[in-house]
């Protein structure tokens, strides 16, 4: 277990990246995951309803029957992890994906499947054709932040439901685009089911026991692969709960560890996971330093996020087949369904 002695200080952005557009107050940095009517977590999916309806249609979705997915960003590590999870769940993986102009024409092989990557100029024509041939298509998006809004507009224009795991972009615009198009989607910046459940538990504690840790000091360390330059949105969400519990803490106090040597030798990250991990430690100390609490969650690799994404796909497929009234969902909705693999 890492200790506070390994903390590094690096200024970060005090604005929350994890909150939905409807509940982000900069003053207190408060994030909420519980009010389903006003908060949504980012994930992207696309798919249409079939002639089936009712309870039987919903049951036929699990564990992947009749569902086809198109994973955009398949050349990335998350995209490949999602394809592997989809293959294990029996979901049909289409040999088509979108990427950058530089990636156009490339062939990506995952799980023995060769996937052709199409560039920006071909997207609408290709997506319309694929959707016509596969009416139960679900698009999974793990691309880049700058592509979030353009991709959502494309999915909405074609009418394809989607699961959006990509973070960033203009989140207000993202929700408005999907709402106006009236398509189905799961949108969440955190796809790890157990991590989302932990965040929800923190939210409940903060709401029911405000001020319980008044006067306590807080140290936060988070370690991610060197390519992640900003502070974790998950860490910011947990910190916002501690603030409600009475702890005084500024987001720019988060200790970011990005040096591979320190990650292995001081934090305890397995060397094989230096390029893909999320280690978080929250240490609380009482005013007189006689009491301390630690909350820690460590993730190696990307399987937790990939499996959560596929659960979101199966969840959304069921909602579409049942012609549910609600169109936009988050990972709390998926957790509450209770049918995770």
């Amino acid at each position: 277990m890492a200790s506070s002695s390994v903390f590094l200080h690096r200024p970060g952005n005090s604005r929350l990246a994890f909150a939905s557009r409807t509940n982000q107050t900069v003053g207190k940095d408060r994030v909420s995951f519980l009010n389903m009517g006003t908060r949504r977590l980012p994930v992207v999916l696309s798919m249409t309803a079939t002639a089936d309806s009712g309870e039987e249609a919903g049951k036929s979705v699990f564990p992947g029957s009749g569902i086809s997915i198109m994973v955009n960003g398949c050349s990335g590590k998350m995209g490949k992890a999602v394809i592997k999870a989809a293959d294990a769940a029996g979901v049909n993986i289409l040999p088509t994906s979108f990427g950058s102009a530089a990636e156009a024409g490339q062939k990506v092989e995952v799980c023995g499947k060769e996937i052709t990557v199409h560039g920006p100029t071909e997207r609408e024509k290709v997506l319309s054709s694929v959707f016509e041939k596969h009416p139960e298509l679900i698009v999974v998006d793990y691309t880049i932040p700058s592509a979030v809004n353009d991709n959502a507009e494309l999915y909405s224009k074609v009418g394809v439901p989607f699961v959006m795991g990509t973070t960033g972009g203009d989140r207000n615009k993202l929700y408005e685009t999907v709402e106006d198009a009236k398509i189905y989607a799961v949108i969440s910046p955190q796809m790890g089911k157990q991590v989302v459940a932990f965040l929800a538990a923190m939210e409940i504690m903060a709401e029911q026991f405000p001020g319980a840790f008044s006067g306590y000091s807080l140290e936060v360390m988070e370690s991610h692969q060197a390519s992640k330059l900003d502070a974790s949105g998950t860490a910011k969400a947990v910190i916002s709960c501690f603030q409600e519990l009475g702890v005084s803490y500024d987001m720019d106090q988060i200790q970011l560890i990005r040096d591979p040597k320190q990650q292995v030798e001081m934090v305890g990250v397995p060397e094989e996971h230096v390029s893909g991990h999320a280690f978080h430690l929250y240490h609380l100390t009482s005013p007189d330093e006689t009491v301390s609490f630690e909350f820690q969650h460590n993730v190696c690799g990307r399987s937790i996020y990939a499996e959560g994404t596929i659960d979101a796909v199966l969840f959304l497929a069921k909602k579409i087949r049942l012609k549910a009234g609600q169109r936009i969902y988050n990972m709390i909705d998926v957790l509450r369904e209770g049918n995770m693999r």
Side-chain angles (χ1 to χ4, degrees):
M1 179 177 292
S3 69
S4 59
S5 62
V6 309
F7 290 177
L8 300 178
H9 179 75
R10 185 178 302 174
N13 189 339
S14 63
R15 294 183 63 85
L16 290 179
F18 199 91
S20 78
R21 63 187 173 93
T22 54
N23 190 47
Q24 181 169 329
T25 55
V26 178
K28 298 183 70 177
D29 290 319
R30 185 77 176 109
V31 182
S32 181
F33 301 88
L34 298 180
N35 188 330
M36 294 305 102
T38 60
R39 300 173 178 87
R40 305 179 177 95
L41 304 180
V43 185
V44 182
L45 265 169
S46 57
M47 154 176 182
T48 55
T50 65
D52 295 332
S53 61
E55 187 175 349
E56 291 304 314
K59 289 180 179 178
S60 68
V61 172
F62 195 83
S65 139
I67 303 171
S68 293
I69 66 168
M70 172 180 172
V71 180
N72 289 333
C74 72
S75 61
K77 293 178 180 178
M78 263 310 306
K80 290 177 180 177
V82 168
I83 291 171
K84 291 177 182 178
D87 183 66
V91 175
N92 182 40
I93 302 154
L94 299 183
T96 307
S97 180
F98 294 154
S100 66
E103 295 173 315
Q106 288 185 8
K107 305 288 185 180
V108 177
E109 187 168 332
V110 187
C111 294
K113 306 175 190 300
E114 188 176 77
I115 301 172
T116 301
V117 180
H118 297 269
T121 59
E122 306 175 277
R123 299 188 317 154
E124 184 173 347
K125 179 180 178 181
V126 170
L127 183 59
S128 297
S129 175
V130 170
F131 193 33
E132 183 177 355
K133 293 177 183 177
H134 303 275
E136 285 205 333
L137 173 67
I138 292 176
V139 173
V140 176
D141 193 297
Y142 274 104
T143 54
I144 56 176
S146 61
V148 165
N149 295 112
D150 284 345
N151 286 353
E153 288 174 6
L154 173 64
Y155 306 148
S156 297
K157 182 176 182 179
V158 177
V160 179
F162 64 94
V163 170
M164 176 69 74
T166 310
T167 59
D170 185 330
R171 307 311 283 192
N172 287 342
K173 184 178 179 182
L174 169 62
Y175 284 107
E176 289 169 3
T177 297
V178 178
E179 287 170 353
D180 290 345
K182 295 180 171 57
I183 62 173
Y184 287 93
V186 173
I187 301 176
S188 176
Q190 172 56 261
M191 300 302 296
K193 300 170 292 185
Q194 293 76 17
V195 176
V196 172
F198 169 68
L199 291 170
M202 287 296 301
E203 172 90 2
I204 291 170
M205 182 167 66
E207 290 187 352
Q208 296 198 11
F209 308 111
F213 286 91
S214 292
Y216 274 63
S217 61
L218 174 65
E219 292 177 285
V220 180
M221 178 278 291
E222 60 99 324
S223 172
H224 287 260
Q225 57 274 9
S227 59
K228 182 174 177 55
L229 302 178
D230 59 338
S232 164
T234 301
K236 292 177 180 178
V238 173
I239 290 168
S240 72
C241 290
F242 282 128
Q243 290 171 333
E244 283 293 306
L245 287 163
V247 177
S248 177
Y249 190 88
D250 293 326
M251 294 296 176
D252 61 5
Q253 294 177 270
I254 299 173
Q255 310 300 304
L256 307 180
I257 297 185
R258 298 294 183 268
D259 179 73
K261 184 177 180 180
Q262 288 182 320
Q263 290 172 339
V264 173
E265 296 179 357
M266 302 171 70
V267 181
V269 178
E271 193 165 355
E272 64 270 26
H273 292 297
V274 165
S275 62
H277 69 279
F279 277 38
H280 292 207
L281 178 67
Y282 311 90
H283 185 93
L284 293 153
T285 306
S286 65
D288 63 0
E289 300 185 349
T290 61
V291 181
S292 65
F293 291 83
E294 283 193 349
F295 297 77
Q296 182 171 353
H297 53 94
N298 297 342
V299 175
C300 291
R302 296 171 174 82
S303 61
I304 185 175
Y305 312 116
E307 291 170 3
T309 299
I310 297 307
D311 278 333
V313 167
L314 299 176
F315 166 88
L316 194 60
K318 179 177 179 180
K319 294 302 178 184
I320 294 169
R321 290 183 178 180
L322 292 174
K323 299 180 180 179
Q326 184 176 343
R327 297 301 179 98
I328 303 177
Y329 298 92
N330 58 40
M331 283 304 287
I332 293 292
D333 295 311
V334 177
L335 286 168
R336 284 180 167 166
E337 192 77 2
N339 294 324
M340 296 179 296
R341 296 165 299 115

